[in-house]
Amino acid sequence: MTREDDMKAAAKAAAREAETPMEKLQSLLLARGYSGIMRFGRMFRIADEDGSRTLNQDELCEAVHNFGLRLSDEEVGEIFSAMDEDGTGSINYEEFLDKLRPEMTEERKAVVEEAYGVLDESGDGEVTLEDLKGKYDASGHPSVVSGEATEEDILLKFLGRFEGNTKEDGKLTKEEFLDYYSGISKSIDDDDYFIEVIKKSWKL
């Protein structure tokens, strides 16, 4: 089994034992793999045509059900109420996704943000898939090092994950990049190893 497979299995078990709906949602998304939270967030970001960055409870329910997550409307309501602290009937989905994202140490987050900065040369907060293809080195990926996959396998899989299974917009935001790497971070216990993987992958 790969590290990702181990994480997915652990997340499925954690979902069954979750004490709160929010913990259950996070586990269900991690059970989808490294890109689970990123793909869930992309649904919101692409649908947000007016740039409001907000969701009401019905929209959150629809997103959860469309993504195939096993949460009841009552559980989604609890999650929404916990996030809607000011009682306005809407929540900022970026803040919501930030709470779902597994916590990374400051050192881990800093190296991920540094990697995104290498990609986002213009500083406009958007990176295309073509930008990724020229700058990602898969030779240090744990699955390549262990012999489970080739560099080409990992690159194709990597690009496919950023395209996701939702509507494609051809752009990778900093938030999506953090969402993705928070999943990888969850599967790697050692800080130094995680940082080494990121630095080698993005030639930092």
Side-chain angles (χ1 to χ4, degrees):
M1 290 179 69
T2 65
R3 285 178 180 270
E4 184 174 20
D5 289 334
D6 288 340
M7 184 195 74
K8 288 162 73 173
K12 287 177 183 177
R16 292 191 292 270
E17 303 295 329
E19 296 183 358
T20 68
M22 191 70 166
E23 289 176 2
K24 183 177 180 181
L25 175 58
Q26 183 189 60
S27 295
L28 288 172
L29 290 171
L30 289 173
R32 297 292 186 93
Y34 293 151
S35 61
I37 293 174
M38 183 202 74
R39 288 186 284 117
F40 188 57
R42 180 164 289 180
M43 293 178 66
F44 301 142
R45 294 175 180 122
I46 293 176
D48 183 21
E49 295 182 358
D50 65 356
S52 67
R53 295 177 179 253
T54 60
L55 294 169
N56 60 37
Q57 186 169 328
D58 288 341
E59 289 170 332
L60 180 58
C61 275
E62 183 179 356
V64 166
H65 295 154
N66 286 345
F67 209 64
L69 300 174
R70 295 180 178 275
L71 283 171
S72 67
D73 288 350
E74 183 177 287
E75 288 174 317
V76 175
E78 286 186 44
I79 292 169
F80 189 88
S81 295
M83 287 295 300
D84 185 21
E85 296 176 349
D86 55 5
T88 61
S90 65
I91 59 175
N92 181 293
Y93 62 74
E94 295 291 3
E95 293 176 2
F96 172 59
L97 291 165
D98 188 53
K99 288 186 181 297
L100 282 175
R101 193 181 295 146
E103 188 174 351
M104 286 192 282
T105 64
E106 288 302 316
E107 290 79 10
R108 292 188 185 210
K109 187 174 180 180
V111 77
V112 171
E113 290 181 339
E114 182 183 354
Y116 188 79
V118 168
L119 294 172
D120 185 19
E121 294 179 341
S122 67
D124 65 356
E126 294 181 348
V127 170
T128 67
L129 295 177
E130 288 301 315
D131 292 329
L132 285 172
K133 288 179 182 177
K135 294 177 180 173
Y136 182 66
D137 177 6
S139 64
H141 191 283
S143 294
V144 175
V145 173
S146 68
E148 296 170 8
T150 66
E151 291 182 44
E152 184 177 355
D153 290 337
I154 294 300
L155 179 58
L156 291 173
K157 196 173 183 181
F158 184 83
L159 293 174
R161 279 174 170 160
F162 279 113
E163 290 172 343
N165 63 359
T166 57
K167 178 182 174 184
E168 297 175 21
D169 59 1
K171 301 170 186 175
L172 173 64
T173 67
K174 183 178 178 181
E175 289 78 14
E176 288 171 341
F177 200 68
L178 285 168
D179 289 342
Y180 177 79
Y181 274 109
S182 69
I184 291 184
S185 177
K186 182 75 173 177
S187 72
I188 298 177
D189 294 329
D190 185 86
D191 283 352
D192 290 339
Y193 180 63
F194 176 82
I195 291 170
E196 179 186 344
V197 167
I198 302 303
K199 285 187 173 182
K200 185 170 179 59
S201 295
W202 298 105
K203 305 173 187 177
L204 301 180

